[in-house]
Amino acid sequence: MIQTRNLKKSFGAVQAVRDLSFSAPDGAITGLLGSNGAGKTTTLRMICGVLQPDNGWVRIDKPVGALLDHIGLYPRLTARENLAYFGELRGIPPIQLAQRIEQVLSQLGMEAIADRRTAGFSQGERMKTALARAILHSPQNLLLDEPTNGLDVPSVRALRGLLRQMRDSGMCIVLSSHILEEVRILCDNAAIVSAGRVVAQGSPEDLCSQTDSASLEDAFIKLTTSQENLECLPTL
C-alpha cells in the first residue's frame, strides 16, 4: 500500500507538485494519468525517496522497487552481472541472490540476453533489465515511470501480462502515463494529475461516471480543463 498526502515540491520558481494526495492499495495497478509536465515523475521520485518533498508525507507499508527510467545500467556488464551488482548493493545474501537472479531472468523471459553486455541492448531489452533490477529484492510495492515508453507492440503486451501477474500476487503497482488507452486497459484505478494536483481518482468507469462522460478521454479532458482554468484565475 502506498499513500501520499499534501505533497508539494518546487524547483526554484516552478511549483511541480502542489498539495497532491492519492492512495494505491495492494493487489491493484494504480495509474497516475496526466499530460507531460503534470507532476507525475516528480511525485514518483518523492515516493521512492529520490527527492525530498517540501511539504506533506508518504506512507509505504513494505519495501518498494522503482523503475524511474531505463538508464543506470552498466554497459560493460551483462544483464546477469548488472543484477548481481545491484543485488549485492541491497545486501541480498550470495546464495539467495543467485537463486533470485535465475528466478527473475526466467520470469521476464531474459534467458537469451542474460549473458550479453547491455551496451548493445534495444530499448525493450534495457527496460526488461531495469525492471528485473527493480523487482530483484521481491518488493511488495512497485513504481513505474512511463514503463511502455519506446517499446514495440509485442514488448508492451508482454509487460502488461507481467504486471497483471504481479498485481494478482498481491503487489501494489503505481505507474505513470500520459497514454489514456494504456491506463484504461491496464489500471484498476487511476489518479488524474493536472498542474501538480490529483483532481480525481477512481476506476476508469468511475471517472467516466463522475464526469458523465462516454469515454476516459472525455473524462480526462473535462477534469484537466477545469483544473487548468482554475490555475489561470487571478489571485484576489
Side-chain angles (χ1 to χ4, degrees), residues 218-233:
D218 290 340
F220 178 81
I221 293 297
K222 289 179 181 178
L223 289 164
T224 56
T225 300
S226 299
Q227 180 63 33
E228 289 167 0
N229 288 340
L230 285 173
E231 293 296 325
C232 292
L233 292 175

Side-chain angles (χ1 to χ4, degrees), residues 1 24-30 140-141 163-164 166-173 188-189:
M1 179 188 70
D26 292 337
I29 301 174
T30 300
Q140 178 63 28
N141 302 286
L163 294 180
R164 290 186 180 112
M166 292 178 178
R167 173 200 63 194
D168 293 344
S169 73
M171 185 178 288
C172 168
I173 301 174
D188 303 290
N189 303 292

Side-chain angles (χ1 to χ4, degrees), residues 118-233:
T118 61
F121 276 12
S122 68
Q123 180 81 339
E125 290 167 341
R126 287 195 299 272
M127 182 280 295
K128 282 187 176 182
T129 307
L131 180 58
R133 181 184 63 191
I135 65 174
L136 187 62
H137 60 300
S138 303
Q140 178 63 28
N141 302 286
L142 182 62
L143 306 176
L144 305 171
D145 191 12
E146 304 279 1
T148 62
N149 186 32
L151 299 186
D152 57 21
V153 173
S155 295
V156 170
R157 289 176 64 90
L159 178 61
R160 286 174 181 164
L162 177 62
L163 294 180
R164 290 186 180 112
Q165 290 176 21
M166 292 178 178
R167 173 200 63 194
D168 293 344
S169 73
M171 185 178 288
C172 168
I173 301 174
V174 177
L175 64 86
S176 74
S177 181
H178 62 276
I179 303 173
L180 290 157
E181 186 66 5
E182 180 176 287
V183 171
R184 186 188 68 80
I185 291 174
L186 187 58
C187 295
D188 303 290
N189 303 292
I192 294 184
V193 183
S194 179
R197 293 187 176 95
V198 170
V199 295
Q201 183 171 2
S203 69
E205 295 77 14
D206 289 339
L207 294 171
C208 291
S209 177
Q210 291 172 28
T211 56
D212 193 24
S213 300
S215 67
L216 183 58
E217 179 178 338
D218 290 340
F220 178 81
I221 293 297
K222 289 179 181 178
L223 289 164
T224 56
T225 300
S226 299
Q227 180 63 33
E228 289 167 0
N229 288 340
L230 285 173
E231 293 296 325
C232 292
L233 292 175

